[in-house]
Amino acid sequence: MVLSTHEADLFEGCRGRLAAIAYRLLGSAGDAEDAVQDTYLRWHAADRGRIETPEAWLTKVLTNVCLDQLTSARAKRETYVGQWLPEPVLTGDPMLGPADTAEQRESVSLAMLTLMERLSANERVTYVLREAFGYSHREIAEILDLTESNCQQIYRRAKQHVSTGRSRTEVDADTARKLVEEFLAAALSGDTQPLVRMLAGDAVSIADGGGRVTARKTPLVGALGIARYLHGLFRPTEAKRAVVGGRPAVYAAVVNGGPAALFEFDGRVIGVVCLEATADGVAAIHLQVNPDKLERITRQWAAAGPHRPFAQMW
């Protein structure tokens, strides 16, 4: 059935919100785009004249598509090489969706997207729709075909699962860049103590190479151990230059609303290091070097340029 101009415009008006929901549910911009496209195909094939509330219908369809993808993704994670981390997205990318409230900004941070991997599929849907998009429990119940009281219980359980007892410190873009520059100066200094002072005592470092790029396969916990690890990682060697193909430039950036160091070589983003800032110091470091998860941010970074590097690595 051919879409009318009104029906096509209606879907396009919802596309951004659908993509933002899907990204929070899946932790992958590529998978979120696929989910939105699948939703569009179902909208195209539906008997649209019988759909009373198109926005609600589209959200329900998208959610079901994402639930199917989450089930498949969890099976794939069992054979994933090393640690799995979400796909980083440059702040300002429409994929991140609304950022008007603290809850909306928190829901798209790399730390929260990583924590949400602890949740069941229904818990993740309930948490995202409630926290980031303000859906009522009644609306969520209709989307998930559950009772309202059941959704309230699921939401409370989800909040408990992602609670760390330590609040992330929100920083503006300028403060984020200054924090990254301080972090990079410490990491490149050759002295572990400046890094140790920046890190929370129980900080955790997680790297994702996806089997495509060499990366530490287990999380590292503790400020001193992480400081030593980062100094080794940032130490210049011919072997590292040979793997990359030359000397990458490193930039201070804002990714998923938080401070990040971005590594670029020959027009490609080859690594993103995201820092979770808290009152106790940097509590988590997420290193994304899987090239499959850096394609979108490479395009966005190029489109947002030119940029001034903090340093030339190695």
Side-chain angles (χ1 to χ4, degrees):
M1 187 183 298
V2 177
L3 289 177
S4 68
T5 301
H6 171 71
E7 290 167 339
D9 289 346
L10 193 153
F11 183 87
E12 290 306 317
C14 294
R15 182 184 288 275
R17 180 177 58 83
L18 296 174
I21 292 172
Y23 175 66
R24 285 165 168 82
L25 291 179
L26 302 173
S28 164
D31 289 346
E33 288 179 330
D34 290 343
V36 172
Q37 182 61 20
D38 196 345
T39 302
Y40 172 78
L41 294 175
R42 298 187 189 200
W43 170 245
H44 191 279
D47 184 355
R48 295 178 298 278
R50 301 182 63 181
I51 298 174
E52 294 182 4
T53 313
E55 292 84 354
W57 186 92
L58 289 169
T59 302
K60 184 179 180 73
V61 170
L62 175 89
T63 300
N64 285 327
V65 170
C66 289
L67 285 170
D68 289 342
Q69 286 202 28
L70 282 170
T71 301
S72 173
R74 290 183 191 280
K76 291 178 181 176
R77 304 271 165 80
E78 294 178 3
T79 58
Y80 194 82
V81 178
Q83 299 296 302
W84 183 94
L85 287 174
E87 179 180 348
V89 176
L90 199 65
T91 292
D93 188 322
M95 182 66 71
L96 294 181
D100 300 323
T101 67
E103 290 78 13
Q104 288 171 336
R105 293 188 292 273
E106 175 72 13
S107 70
V108 83
S109 71
L110 264 294
M112 180 56 70
L113 289 173
T114 302
L115 280 174
M116 283 198 287
E117 289 295 301
R118 301 177 180 179
L119 305 180
S120 70
N122 279 350
E123 286 173 343
R124 189 160 184 165
V125 168
T126 303
Y127 184 83
V128 165
L129 292 181
R130 182 69 176 160
E131 285 285 301
F133 295 92
Y135 279 70
S136 68
H137 288 298
R138 179 183 58 78
E139 291 170 319
I140 297 170
E142 291 174 357
I143 288 169
L144 292 176
D145 293 324
L146 298 171
T147 66
E148 187 172 344
S149 61
N150 197 357
C151 280
Q152 290 172 335
Q153 292 173 352
I154 291 171
Y155 174 67
R156 284 195 295 270
R157 195 161 60 237
K159 289 202 73 169
Q160 291 173 351
H161 287 332
V162 298
S163 174
T164 63
R166 178 159 51 193
S167 298
R168 189 172 69 104
T169 301
E170 285 202 62
V171 294
D172 59 28
D174 288 340
T175 304
R177 288 187 173 89
K178 289 176 183 176
L179 177 62
V180 176
E181 289 176 355
E182 182 183 352
F183 169 80
L184 290 171
L188 294 167
S189 69
D191 182 1
T192 59
Q193 286 310 304
L195 263 181
V196 170
R197 286 193 292 269
M198 288 192 69
L199 298 169
D202 59 350
V204 60
S205 172
I206 305 173
D208 179 351
R212 299 281 311 281
V213 173
T214 300
R216 184 182 174 89
K217 293 183 179 180
T218 57
L220 184 61
V221 180
L224 182 58
I226 292 173
R228 289 171 174 168
Y229 165 67
L230 290 174
H231 274 302
L233 194 65
F234 284 30
R235 186 179 300 120
T237 66
E238 288 296 334
K240 290 173 185 172
R241 283 192 285 270
V243 169
V244 173
R247 299 180 65 202
V250 58
Y251 301 84
V254 184
V255 172
N256 287 74
L262 188 147
F263 297 79
E264 180 192 49
F265 178 74
D266 196 24
R268 293 179 298 112
V269 175
I270 60 171
V272 178
V273 180
C274 295
L275 310 178
E276 182 190 354
T278 72
D280 299 324
V282 175
I285 300 174
H286 298 110
L287 300 92
Q288 183 56 261
V289 292
N290 182 347
D292 293 339
K293 298 183 181 181
L294 297 173
E295 293 178 1
R296 184 184 182 91
I297 201 169
T298 292
R299 296 193 301 271
Q300 296 301 112
W301 184 251
H307 308 278
R308 184 165 58 90
F310 173 83
Q312 200 81 22
M313 288 289 293
W314 306 329

